[in-house]
Amino acid sequence: MKDSIGIGQLGYGGIGKVHAHGYRSIPHYYPGVLPEIRFAAVCTSSADTAEKAVRAGGYSRGYSEVEKLVADDTVDIIDCSLPNFAHKEVLRIALAAGKHVYCEKPLCLDAQEAQEIAKMAAESTATVGMTFNYRFVPAVMRAKQLVDAGAIGDVYNFQFVYLHTGYQDASRPLSWRMQRELSGGGALVDLGSHVIDLARYLLGDFSEVFATSKTFVQE
């Protein structure tokens, strides 16, 4: 095992800051489990914001070009905390360089892009992980143990509700998350991907799907 792991952070917005906080917390919750975690580099959209991110996040250096961060020899893992539409190209660059990737959910914009990324990952020596953090909530981890042990018998019904009302506010400003060409979909992709993942994690993959959807706030 390496003495340290260098994180190369792509994006230092809301989620990027959450990821950075998570890296700082790991040694407190799991002392001695991982090598030292280094904040090797951060990349944002401009040199100015990159420098601000360096100071705020404690990174060793800042970049405004993805290729330069990926080429940095001190970076071992690329943490992709960029908007959904940017994921595929970032993963292509990182995997081509043999750099491991930890990517925010959802993986990309649609199934075709996902298949292309899966092919790139299969052909690379690097590993791709996705942020489905709810798998690690203690109650979910316990549920997984019970299901796997057969303690609750055959599961024939699973109902889930994601209690988050942000997308029900008609006065909420439009963002890339609510534009299909940039996010792949609205609330279903942004939040629903978490609960869809939990269904797959706890019960296995689907054999078929029937679904209806409706956009309630249309402007």
Side-chain angles (χ1 to χ4, degrees):
M1 183 178 290
K2 299 184 63 169
D3 294 331
S4 65
I5 300 173
I7 303 297
Q9 184 77 48
L10 279 175
Y12 197 68
I15 293 300
K17 293 172 184 175
V18 169
H19 283 209
H21 178 69
Y23 291 127
R24 290 190 181 91
S25 300
I26 289 174
H28 299 290
Y29 288 100
Y30 306 101
V33 174
L34 291 179
E36 175 193 1
I37 296 176
R38 293 180 289 101
F39 288 76
V42 62
C43 181
T44 64
S45 59
S46 70
D48 181 55
T49 57
E51 182 56 35
K52 290 178 180 177
V54 165
R55 294 196 300 269
Y59 295 89
S60 296
R61 57 189 60 82
Y63 299 106
S64 57
E65 297 177 34
V66 173
E67 291 82 359
K68 289 185 178 180
L69 180 136
V70 171
D72 189 325
D73 290 337
T74 67
V75 170
D76 300 305
I77 296 175
I78 307 296
D79 183 313
C80 180
S81 297
L82 298 174
N84 305 352
F85 62 86
H87 290 186
K88 177 185 170 183
E89 179 62 10
V90 164
L91 267 68
R92 183 192 67 77
I93 295 170
L95 290 174
K99 294 288 179 79
H100 304 297
V101 180
Y102 183 55
C103 186
E104 252 301 327
K105 60 79 204 163
L107 182 62
C108 50
L109 295 179
D110 54 38
Q112 180 177 335
E113 279 198 359
Q115 290 166 355
E116 293 174 20
I117 292 172
K119 184 174 184 294
M120 288 189 290
E123 295 172 349
S124 173
T125 58
T127 298
V128 177
M130 245 194 305
T131 309
F132 281 120
N133 51 294
Y134 290 108
R135 290 188 179 200
F136 304 99
V137 172
V140 173
M141 294 171 71
R142 180 59 177 150
K144 176 67 171 172
Q145 290 176 339
L146 294 172
V147 170
D148 288 350
I152 60 176
D154 294 332
V155 179
Y156 59 88
N157 183 60
F158 177 61
Q159 181 176 349
F160 56 75
V161 179
Y162 197 110
L163 299 176
H164 187 297
T165 61
Y167 286 102
Q168 297 174 4
D169 183 358
S171 64
R172 178 177 178 173
L174 182 70
S175 75
W176 63 264
R177 286 183 173 85
M178 290 172 272
Q179 300 178 62
R180 182 181 292 276
E181 66 275 14
L182 301 180
S183 68
L188 180 61
V189 167
D190 190 34
L191 303 178
S193 55
H194 277 300
V195 284
I196 292 170
D197 175 69
L198 284 183
R200 296 181 65 243
Y201 177 59
L202 293 172
L203 304 176
D205 232 332
F206 313 123
S207 57
E208 58 182 322
V209 174
F210 173 77
T212 59
S213 65
K214 179 179 175 63
T215 301
F216 290 91
V217 181
Q218 300 184 9
E219 63 180 7

